[in-house]
């Protein structure tokens, strides 16, 4: 028998009590993945950059706090992107699951281009658009977070069993982070590779190990079938 909970302090105490009675305590996988992605919220984990997460968050906050600024942003999108959906910025919150990914996905879709155009056309609007370097890093962070968010959303399904898929989902996340953090990988900046490496270390050292046992079981299962 086992009990699965989130990772809050009171649930940790509860879990210790369960384990003293011989009942296994397991943390929610999707919640563990959320703790992992929180590291992308902090610019200190993107060394050598111009604080791209802070810049993105400041931009979103500026347009979400001002109804006039947001109206101007929507109008600019209508002018520039006639055949694309008109989007509002999404504010990320450190405690809300995959909100950082959602903020980047929305911002990098085409909103940042409308913001830059708006800044040129309305000089009285006091905000600083993202520069090319910040956009590059934010795009890379989005790619790093994407497989983790995909795993979270899949594991939250309530119309199918998810427990048997946990090892495979974790293995996929591990493989992606390993690929992104490889020193020889020239597709990503040094800062983004550093973030991917940090996430991989956290995944392996604090949560799920290096995956060797899981990988052997998966391969054995494939041979048996």
């Amino acid at each position: 028998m086992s009990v699965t909970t989130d990772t809050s302090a009171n649930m940790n105490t509860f879990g210790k009590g369960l384990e003293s009675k011989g009942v296994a305590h397991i943390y929610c996988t999707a919640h563990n993945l959320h703790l992992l992605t929180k590291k992308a919220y902090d610019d200190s984990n993107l060394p050598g950059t111009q604080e791209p997460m802070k810049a993105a968050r400041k931009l979103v906050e500026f347009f979400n706090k001002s109804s006039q600024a947001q109206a101007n942003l929507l109008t600019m999108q209508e002018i520039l992107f006639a055949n694309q959906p008109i989007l509002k910025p999404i504010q990320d919150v450190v405690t809300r699951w995959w909100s950082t990914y959602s903020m980047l996905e929305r911002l990098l879709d085409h909103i940042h281009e409308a913001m830059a155009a708006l800044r040129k056309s309305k000089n009285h609007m006091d905000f600083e658009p993202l520069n090319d370097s910040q956009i590059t890093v934010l795009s890379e962070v989005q790619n790093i977070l994407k497989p983790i968010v995909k795993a979270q959303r899949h594991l939250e399904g309530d119309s199918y069993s998810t427990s048997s898929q946990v090892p495979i989902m974790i293995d996929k996340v591990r493989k992606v982070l390993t690929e992104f953090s490889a020193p020889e990988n020239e597709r990503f900046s040094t800062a983004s590779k550093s973030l991917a490496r940090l996430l991989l270390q956290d995944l392996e050292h604090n949560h799920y190990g290096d995956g060797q046992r899981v990988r052997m079981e998966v391969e054995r299962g494939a041979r048996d079938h």
Side-chain angles (χ1 to χ4, degrees), residues 91-157:
Q91 183 71 61
D92 72 331
V93 181
V94 70
T95 56
R96 190 170 60 196
W97 291 17
W98 64 68
S99 64
T100 296
Y101 175 82
S102 298
M103 179 185 73
L104 297 180
E105 182 181 46
R106 180 64 60 88
L107 191 60
L108 297 173
D109 191 326
H110 57 254
I111 287 183
H112 75 92
E113 297 178 38
M115 290 176 174
L118 190 60
R119 183 69 178 87
K120 292 179 180 179
S121 65
K122 294 182 177 293
N123 292 326
H124 62 280
M125 296 188 70
D126 187 19
F127 71 91
E128 190 66 34
L130 298 172
N131 60 42
D132 291 342
S133 176
Q134 290 170 330
I135 291 171
T136 296
V137 174
L138 292 176
S139 179
E140 292 173 351
V141 172
Q142 181 191 4
N143 287 331
I144 290 171
L145 295 180
K146 187 174 183 178
I148 302 175
V149 171
K150 184 178 179 180
Q152 281 182 294
R153 288 173 173 167
H154 184 78
L155 293 173
E156 287 181 5

Side-chain angles (χ1 to χ4, degrees), residues 166-178:
V166 167
I168 296 175
M169 291 289 104
I170 295 299
D171 195 51
K172 287 182 178 179
V173 170
R174 185 186 290 107
K175 286 179 178 178
V176 170
L177 292 178
T178 299

